[in-house]
Amino acid sequence: MHFKLLLVFVEDGKTDEVMKAARVAGATGATIINNARGEGITQTKTFFGLNLETQRDVLLFIVEEHLSRAILETIAEVAGFDEMPGKGIAIQLDIEDAVGVAHQVQQLSSAVEEQI
């Protein structure tokens, strides 16, 4: 079984909604890193020298490759990435090797067979 890593940078208020939608789409779980920050094309606004940027969370999903695109698209839709700039981004990367995912292989096998 081959896996992909989905890196999702999302507004912290959308994290729970994205997690629920990703699970429905086939993700088995994620690691969440809180309180990240970033800057896009336009700089963040300031008020008396204080940044008025929203906090971001980074979600790391290891997903089976046949399910990865559907999960990625679901995340983008739920998080509203294409609605307006600054909502967040999600990318996927190939995973060459992984350990600690053997318990997921049995659960994923039937889901992947349905997709193929």
Side-chain angles (χ1 to χ4, degrees), residues 30-65:
T31 297
I32 302 169
I33 302 171
N34 298 101
N35 299 325
R37 64 184 195 127
E39 192 171 299
I41 293 174
T42 56
Q43 291 184 332
T44 57
K45 296 179 183 178
T46 60
F47 181 73
F48 292 114
L50 300 172
N51 287 342
L52 299 176
E53 58 192 24
T54 59
Q55 288 295 318
R56 305 242 178 245
D57 288 339
V58 180
L59 287 65
L60 302 135
F61 294 91
I62 296 178
V63 300
E64 207 287 324
E65 70 177 339

Side-chain angles (χ1 to χ4, degrees), residues 6-10 71-73 75-76 81 88-92:
L6 303 183
L7 287 167
V8 182
F9 303 88
V10 66
I71 296 168
L72 193 68
E73 289 174 0
I75 289 169
F81 290 163
I89 62 169
I91 61 172
Q92 74 176 356

Side-chain angles (χ1 to χ4, degrees), residues 2 12-13 15 22 26 28 54 59 67 72-73 77 79 82 87 102-103 116:
H2 299 298
D12 63 349
T15 299
T28 56
T54 59
L59 287 65
L67 305 173
L72 193 68
E73 289 174 0
E77 184 179 325
D82 293 327
K87 290 289 186 179
H103 62 283
I116 296 178

